[in-house]
């Protein structure tokens, strides 16, 4: 089966995802992209992060989740980073927001699940004694 061409991500969605990533980076204590990109284990290249944060590119859902996890669990300079509790809460909020965007097709996945569910069958009821 041939692959379908992916639908372009709406510009607004790309900017929203970029803003979420930028906020997470700042919350983790990385004031500059190059600081985060040079941290051990960072999951993307510096230029890629610039493109994501500007809204020029949109990360795949997996890449987005990898970045969110990194920012939540690997803070930069501790005097600049939010508390671990705040970083984790911010990460959960970012994931929740991203999953509502058309860019990640979660709504379409839920609609397909609904369409694929078998109809509920009327079952026999037990008689109470």
């Amino acid at each position: 089966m041939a692959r379908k061409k992916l639908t372009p991500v709406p510009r607004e969605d790309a900017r929203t995802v970029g803003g979420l990533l930028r906020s997470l980076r700042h919350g983790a204590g990385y004031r500059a992209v190059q600081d985060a990109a040079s941290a051990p284990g960072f999951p993307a290249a510096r230029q890629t992060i610039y493109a994501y944060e500007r809204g020029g590119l949109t990360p795949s859902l997996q890449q987005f989740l990898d970045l969110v996890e990194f920012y939540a669990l690997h803070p930069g300079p501790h005097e600049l980073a939010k508390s671990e509790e705040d970083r984790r809460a911010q990460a959960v909020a970012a994931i929740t927001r991203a999953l509502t965007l058309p860019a990640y097709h979660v709504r379409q996945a839920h609609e397909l699940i609904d369409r694929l569910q078998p109809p509920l069958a009327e079952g026999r009821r037990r008689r109470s004694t």
Side-chain angles (χ1 to χ4, degrees), residues 75-121:
H78 293 290
E79 66 275 1
L80 300 176
K82 291 182 177 184
S83 70
E84 181 178 359
E85 184 177 327
D86 286 349
R87 289 191 320 272
R88 286 174 179 261
Q90 186 180 14
V92 169
I95 294 167
T96 302
R97 176 67 178 108
L99 292 178
T100 67
L101 298 173
Y104 292 122
H105 308 287
V106 174
R107 183 179 51 82
Q108 292 92 329
H110 284 284
E111 289 171 357
L112 176 60
I113 290 167
D114 288 343
R115 289 194 309 271
L116 295 174
Q117 290 291 326
L120 294 175

Short mmCIF file of all heavy atoms in Angstrom, two decimals, residues 75-121:
data_model
loop_
_atom_site.label_atom_id
_atom_site.label_comp_id
_atom_site.label_asym_id
_atom_site.label_seq_id
_atom_site.Cartn_x
_atom_site.Cartn_y
_atom_site.Cartn_z
N PRO A 75 17.21 19.28 34.02
CA PRO A 75 17.29 20.75 34.07
C PRO A 75 18.70 21.26 33.80
O PRO A 75 19.68 20.54 33.98
CB PRO A 75 16.87 21.07 35.50
CG PRO A 75 17.24 19.85 36.27
CD PRO A 75 17.02 18.70 35.33
N GLY A 76 18.75 22.49 33.35
CA GLY A 76 20.02 23.17 33.14
C GLY A 76 20.52 23.73 34.46
O GLY A 76 20.27 23.13 35.52
N PRO A 77 21.15 24.89 34.41
CA PRO A 77 21.66 25.50 35.65
C PRO A 77 20.53 25.62 36.69
O PRO A 77 19.47 26.16 36.40
CB PRO A 77 22.13 26.87 35.18
CG PRO A 77 22.38 26.72 33.72
CD PRO A 77 21.41 25.69 33.23
N HIS A 78 20.77 25.05 37.84
CA HIS A 78 19.70 24.94 38.85
C HIS A 78 19.14 26.27 39.31
O HIS A 78 17.98 26.36 39.67
CB HIS A 78 20.18 24.09 40.02
CG HIS A 78 20.40 22.67 39.64
ND1 HIS A 78 19.38 21.81 39.32
CD2 HIS A 78 21.54 21.96 39.46
CE1 HIS A 78 19.85 20.64 38.99
NE2 HIS A 78 21.18 20.69 39.07
N GLU A 79 19.95 27.32 39.31
CA GLU A 79 19.42 28.62 39.76
C GLU A 79 18.43 29.19 38.74
O GLU A 79 17.61 30.03 39.07
CB GLU A 79 20.54 29.62 40.06
CG GLU A 79 21.35 30.06 38.86
CD GLU A 79 22.49 29.12 38.50
OE1 GLU A 79 22.67 28.09 39.18
OE2 GLU A 79 23.20 29.42 37.54
N LEU A 80 18.48 28.72 37.50
CA LEU A 80 17.57 29.21 36.46
C LEU A 80 16.35 28.31 36.26
O LEU A 80 15.34 28.74 35.72
CB LEU A 80 18.31 29.34 35.12
CG LEU A 80 19.51 30.29 35.10
CD1 LEU A 80 20.19 30.23 33.74
CD2 LEU A 80 19.09 31.70 35.43
N ALA A 81 16.47 27.06 36.67
CA ALA A 81 15.40 26.08 36.41
C ALA A 81 14.28 26.18 37.44
O ALA A 81 14.51 26.50 38.61
CB ALA A 81 15.99 24.68 36.42
N LYS A 82 13.08 25.88 36.98
CA LYS A 82 11.95 25.74 37.90
C LYS A 82 12.16 24.49 38.73
O LYS A 82 12.98 23.63 38.40
CB LYS A 82 10.65 25.59 37.10
CG LYS A 82 10.22 26.83 36.35
CD LYS A 82 8.91 26.58 35.64
CE LYS A 82 8.43 27.84 34.95
NZ LYS A 82 7.12 27.64 34.33
N SER A 83 11.37 24.34 39.77
CA SER A 83 11.46 23.14 40.60
C SER A 83 11.06 21.93 39.77
O SER A 83 10.36 22.05 38.76
CB SER A 83 10.54 23.25 41.82
OG SER A 83 9.18 23.17 41.41
N GLU A 84 11.49 20.75 40.21
CA GLU A 84 11.14 19.53 39.47
C GLU A 84 9.62 19.37 39.37
O GLU A 84 9.09 19.02 38.31
CB GLU A 84 11.74 18.30 40.14
CG GLU A 84 11.41 17.03 39.37
CD GLU A 84 12.04 15.78 39.95
OE1 GLU A 84 12.76 15.87 40.96
OE2 GLU A 84 11.78 14.71 39.38
N GLU A 85 8.93 19.66 40.44
CA GLU A 85 7.46 19.55 40.44
C GLU A 85 6.85 20.48 39.38
O GLU A 85 5.96 20.08 38.64
CB GLU A 85 6.92 19.89 41.83
CG GLU A 85 5.43 19.72 41.96
CD GLU A 85 4.96 20.01 43.37
OE1 GLU A 85 5.70 19.75 44.34
OE2 GLU A 85 3.82 20.51 43.49
N ASP A 86 7.34 21.71 39.31
CA ASP A 86 6.82 22.66 38.33
C ASP A 86 7.17 22.23 36.90
O ASP A 86 6.34 22.36 35.99
CB ASP A 86 7.38 24.07 38.58
CG ASP A 86 6.74 24.74 39.78
OD1 ASP A 86 5.73 24.23 40.30
OD2 ASP A 86 7.27 25.79 40.20
N ARG A 87 8.39 21.72 36.70
CA ARG A 87 8.78 21.26 35.35
C ARG A 87 7.91 20.10 34.90
O ARG A 87 7.47 20.05 33.76
CB ARG A 87 10.26 20.85 35.32
CG ARG A 87 11.24 21.99 35.44
CD ARG A 87 12.67 21.57 35.12
NE ARG A 87 13.05 20.28 35.64
CZ ARG A 87 13.56 20.04 36.85
NH1 ARG A 87 13.74 21.04 37.69
NH2 ARG A 87 13.90 18.81 37.22
N ARG A 88 7.65 19.17 35.80
CA ARG A 88 6.81 18.02 35.46
C ARG A 88 5.37 18.47 35.14
O ARG A 88 4.77 18.00 34.18
CB ARG A 88 6.81 17.00 36.58
CG ARG A 88 8.10 16.22 36.68
CD ARG A 88 8.12 15.31 37.91
NE ARG A 88 9.33 14.55 37.98
CZ ARG A 88 9.44 13.27 37.59
NH1 ARG A 88 8.40 12.64 37.10
NH2 ARG A 88 10.59 12.64 37.70
N ALA A 89 4.84 19.37 35.94
CA ALA A 89 3.48 19.87 35.69
C ALA A 89 3.42 20.62 34.36
O ALA A 89 2.46 20.46 33.59
CB ALA A 89 3.04 20.78 36.83
N GLN A 90 4.44 21.42 34.07
CA GLN A 90 4.49 22.15 32.80
C GLN A 90 4.58 21.17 31.63
O GLN A 90 3.96 21.37 30.58
CB GLN A 90 5.68 23.11 32.79
CG GLN A 90 5.73 24.00 31.58
CD GLN A 90 6.92 24.94 31.60
OE1 GLN A 90 7.85 24.79 32.39
NE2 GLN A 90 6.88 25.92 30.73
N ALA A 91 5.34 20.09 31.81
CA ALA A 91 5.47 19.08 30.75
C ALA A 91 4.13 18.39 30.49
O ALA A 91 3.73 18.21 29.32
CB ALA A 91 6.53 18.05 31.14
N VAL A 92 3.42 18.03 31.53
CA VAL A 92 2.11 17.40 31.37
C VAL A 92 1.15 18.34 30.66
O VAL A 92 0.42 17.95 29.74
CB VAL A 92 1.54 16.94 32.73
CG1 VAL A 92 0.08 16.53 32.62
CG2 VAL A 92 2.38 15.80 33.29
N ALA A 93 1.16 19.60 31.04
CA ALA A 93 0.30 20.60 30.40
C ALA A 93 0.66 20.75 28.92
O ALA A 93 -0.23 20.85 28.07
CB ALA A 93 0.41 21.94 31.11
N ALA A 94 1.95 20.75 28.59
CA ALA A 94 2.38 20.88 27.19
C ALA A 94 1.92 19.68 26.36
O ALA A 94 1.45 19.84 25.23
CB ALA A 94 3.89 21.05 27.11
N ILE A 95 2.07 18.49 26.91
CA ILE A 95 1.63 17.29 26.18
C ILE A 95 0.13 17.33 25.97
O ILE A 95 -0.37 17.07 24.87
CB ILE A 95 2.05 16.01 26.94
CG1 ILE A 95 3.56 15.86 26.95
CG2 ILE A 95 1.40 14.78 26.30
CD1 ILE A 95 4.08 14.81 27.92
N THR A 96 -0.60 17.67 27.02
CA THR A 96 -2.06 17.75 26.92
C THR A 96 -2.48 18.74 25.84
O THR A 96 -3.34 18.45 25.02
CB THR A 96 -2.66 18.14 28.28
OG1 THR A 96 -2.25 17.18 29.25
CG2 THR A 96 -4.17 18.20 28.23
N ARG A 97 -1.84 19.89 25.82
CA ARG A 97 -2.17 20.91 24.81
C ARG A 97 -1.82 20.43 23.41
O ARG A 97 -2.60 20.57 22.47
CB ARG A 97 -1.42 22.22 25.12
CG ARG A 97 -1.60 23.30 24.09
CD ARG A 97 -3.05 23.80 24.06
NE ARG A 97 -3.19 24.87 23.10
CZ ARG A 97 -3.82 24.74 21.93
NH1 ARG A 97 -4.38 23.59 21.59
NH2 ARG A 97 -3.91 25.76 21.10
N ALA A 98 -0.65 19.83 23.25
CA ALA A 98 -0.22 19.37 21.93
C ALA A 98 -1.16 18.30 21.37
O ALA A 98 -1.43 18.29 20.17
CB ALA A 98 1.21 18.84 21.99
N LEU A 99 -1.66 17.44 22.23
CA LEU A 99 -2.54 16.37 21.75
C LEU A 99 -3.89 16.89 21.28
O LEU A 99 -4.63 16.17 20.62
CB LEU A 99 -2.72 15.31 22.84
CG LEU A 99 -1.47 14.50 23.16
CD1 LEU A 99 -1.74 13.52 24.28
CD2 LEU A 99 -0.95 13.77 21.92
N THR A 100 -4.22 18.13 21.60
CA THR A 100 -5.48 18.70 21.11
C THR A 100 -5.32 19.35 19.74
O THR A 100 -6.31 19.70 19.11
CB THR A 100 -6.03 19.78 22.07
OG1 THR A 100 -5.14 20.90 22.08
CG2 THR A 100 -6.21 19.23 23.48
N LEU A 101 -4.08 19.50 19.27
CA LEU A 101 -3.83 20.18 18.00
C LEU A 101 -4.08 19.25 16.82
O LEU A 101 -3.72 18.07 16.87
CB LEU A 101 -2.38 20.68 17.94
CG LEU A 101 -1.98 21.71 18.99
CD1 LEU A 101 -0.48 21.98 18.92
CD2 LEU A 101 -2.77 23.00 18.81
N PRO A 102 -4.65 19.77 15.74
CA PRO A 102 -4.84 18.96 14.55
C PRO A 102 -3.53 18.38 14.00
O PRO A 102 -3.54 17.34 13.34
CB PRO A 102 -5.47 19.93 13.54
CG PRO A 102 -6.12 20.98 14.37
CD PRO A 102 -5.26 21.09 15.61
N ALA A 103 -2.41 19.01 14.29
CA ALA A 103 -1.11 18.55 13.77
C ALA A 103 -0.81 17.11 14.15
O ALA A 103 -0.16 16.39 13.40
CB ALA A 103 0.01 19.46 14.28
N TYR A 104 -1.26 16.67 15.31
CA TYR A 104 -0.93 15.32 15.77
C TYR A 104 -2.05 14.31 15.56
O TYR A 104 -1.91 13.15 15.94
CB TYR A 104 -0.46 15.37 17.22
CG TYR A 104 0.88 16.06 17.34
CD1 TYR A 104 1.05 17.17 18.14
CD2 TYR A 104 1.97 15.62 16.59
CE1 TYR A 104 2.28 17.80 18.22
CE2 TYR A 104 3.19 16.26 16.65
CZ TYR A 104 3.34 17.35 17.47
OH TYR A 104 4.55 17.99 17.54
N HIS A 105 -3.15 14.70 14.99
CA HIS A 105 -4.22 13.80 14.54
C HIS A 105 -4.81 12.91 15.63
O HIS A 105 -5.32 11.84 15.35
CB HIS A 105 -3.72 12.92 13.38
CG HIS A 105 -3.10 13.71 12.27
ND1 HIS A 105 -3.85 14.48 11.40
CD2 HIS A 105 -1.81 13.89 11.93
CE1 HIS A 105 -3.03 15.07 10.55
NE2 HIS A 105 -1.79 14.75 10.84
N VAL A 106 -4.71 13.32 16.87
CA VAL A 106 -5.26 12.50 17.95
C VAL A 106 -6.78 12.46 17.87
O VAL A 106 -7.40 11.41 18.07
CB VAL A 106 -4.77 13.01 19.33
CG1 VAL A 106 -5.45 12.27 20.47
CG2 VAL A 106 -3.26 12.85 19.41
N ARG A 107 -7.38 13.59 17.55
CA ARG A 107 -8.85 13.62 17.43
C ARG A 107 -9.31 12.64 16.36
O ARG A 107 -10.25 11.87 16.56
CB ARG A 107 -9.33 15.03 17.10
CG ARG A 107 -10.86 15.14 17.03
CD ARG A 107 -11.31 16.56 16.72
NE ARG A 107 -10.66 17.15 15.56
CZ ARG A 107 -11.02 16.94 14.29
NH1 ARG A 107 -12.04 16.17 14.01
NH2 ARG A 107 -10.38 17.52 13.30
N GLN A 108 -8.60 12.62 15.22
CA GLN A 108 -8.95 11.69 14.15
C GLN A 108 -8.78 10.25 14.60
O GLN A 108 -9.57 9.38 14.24
CB GLN A 108 -8.11 11.94 12.89
CG GLN A 108 -8.41 13.26 12.22
CD GLN A 108 -7.50 14.38 12.69
OE1 GLN A 108 -7.06 14.40 13.84
NE2 GLN A 108 -7.23 15.33 11.82
N ALA A 109 -7.76 9.98 15.41
CA ALA A 109 -7.56 8.62 15.92
C ALA A 109 -8.73 8.22 16.82
O ALA A 109 -9.24 7.10 16.71
CB ALA A 109 -6.24 8.54 16.69
N HIS A 110 -9.18 9.14 17.67
CA HIS A 110 -10.32 8.83 18.53
C HIS A 110 -11.59 8.63 17.71
O HIS A 110 -12.39 7.74 18.03
CB HIS A 110 -10.54 9.94 19.57
CG HIS A 110 -9.56 9.88 20.70
ND1 HIS A 110 -9.63 8.96 21.71
CD2 HIS A 110 -8.46 10.62 20.95
CE1 HIS A 110 -8.63 9.13 22.54
NE2 HIS A 110 -7.89 10.14 22.10
N GLU A 111 -11.77 9.41 16.67
CA GLU A 111 -12.95 9.23 15.81
C GLU A 111 -12.91 7.87 15.12
O GLU A 111 -13.93 7.20 15.00
CB GLU A 111 -13.02 10.36 14.78
CG GLU A 111 -13.39 11.69 15.40
CD GLU A 111 -13.24 12.87 14.44
OE1 GLU A 111 -12.79 12.67 13.28
OE2 GLU A 111 -13.57 14.00 14.85
N LEU A 112 -11.72 7.45 14.66
CA LEU A 112 -11.59 6.14 14.03
C LEU A 112 -11.87 5.03 15.04
O LEU A 112 -12.57 4.07 14.72
CB LEU A 112 -10.19 5.98 13.43
CG LEU A 112 -9.88 4.61 12.81
CD1 LEU A 112 -10.86 4.30 11.67
CD2 LEU A 112 -8.45 4.57 12.31
N ILE A 113 -11.37 5.17 16.24
CA ILE A 113 -11.65 4.18 17.28
C ILE A 113 -13.16 4.06 17.49
O ILE A 113 -13.70 2.96 17.57
CB ILE A 113 -10.94 4.55 18.60
CG1 ILE A 113 -9.43 4.36 18.46
CG2 ILE A 113 -11.49 3.74 19.78
CD1 ILE A 113 -8.62 4.98 19.59
N ASP A 114 -13.84 5.20 17.56
CA ASP A 114 -15.30 5.18 17.73
C ASP A 114 -15.99 4.46 16.58
O ASP A 114 -16.91 3.68 16.79
CB ASP A 114 -15.85 6.60 17.86
CG ASP A 114 -15.51 7.26 19.19
OD1 ASP A 114 -15.14 6.52 20.14
OD2 ASP A 114 -15.61 8.49 19.27
N ARG A 115 -15.53 4.73 15.36
CA ARG A 115 -16.14 4.09 14.18
C ARG A 115 -15.88 2.59 14.15
O ARG A 115 -16.69 1.82 13.65
CB ARG A 115 -15.64 4.72 12.89
CG ARG A 115 -16.14 6.12 12.64
CD ARG A 115 -15.90 6.59 11.22
NE ARG A 115 -14.54 6.43 10.74
CZ ARG A 115 -13.55 7.34 10.87
NH1 ARG A 115 -13.81 8.49 11.47
NH2 ARG A 115 -12.36 7.12 10.39
N LEU A 116 -14.75 2.16 14.68
CA LEU A 116 -14.37 0.75 14.63
C LEU A 116 -14.95 -0.07 15.77
O LEU A 116 -14.94 -1.31 15.71
CB LEU A 116 -12.84 0.61 14.64
CG LEU A 116 -12.13 1.18 13.42
CD1 LEU A 116 -10.63 1.11 13.61
CD2 LEU A 116 -12.54 0.46 12.16
N GLN A 117 -15.44 0.58 16.80
CA GLN A 117 -16.01 -0.15 17.93
C GLN A 117 -17.22 -0.95 17.47
O GLN A 117 -18.06 -0.44 16.74
CB GLN A 117 -16.45 0.81 19.03
CG GLN A 117 -15.32 1.50 19.76
CD GLN A 117 -14.53 0.53 20.60
OE1 GLN A 117 -15.05 -0.42 21.16
NE2 GLN A 117 -13.24 0.79 20.70
N PRO A 118 -17.32 -2.20 17.90
CA PRO A 118 -18.52 -2.98 17.55
C PRO A 118 -19.73 -2.41 18.29
O PRO A 118 -19.58 -1.84 19.37
CB PRO A 118 -18.19 -4.38 18.02
CG PRO A 118 -17.15 -4.21 19.06
CD PRO A 118 -16.39 -2.96 18.71
N PRO A 119 -20.88 -2.54 17.68
CA PRO A 119 -22.07 -2.05 18.38
C PRO A 119 -22.30 -2.86 19.66
O PRO A 119 -21.96 -4.04 19.72
CB PRO A 119 -23.21 -2.27 17.38
CG PRO A 119 -22.68 -3.20 16.35
CD PRO A 119 -21.19 -3.15 16.41
N LEU A 120 -22.83 -2.19 20.65
CA LEU A 120 -23.13 -2.87 21.90
C LEU A 120 -24.30 -3.82 21.69
O LEU A 120 -25.33 -3.44 21.15
CB LEU A 120 -23.46 -1.87 23.00
CG LEU A 120 -22.32 -0.96 23.43
CD1 LEU A 120 -22.82 0.06 24.44
CD2 LEU A 120 -21.18 -1.78 24.02
N ALA A 121 -24.11 -5.06 22.09
CA ALA A 121 -25.18 -6.06 21.94
C ALA A 121 -26.03 -6.05 23.20
O ALA A 121 -25.53 -5.84 24.30
CB ALA A 121 -24.57 -7.44 21.73
#
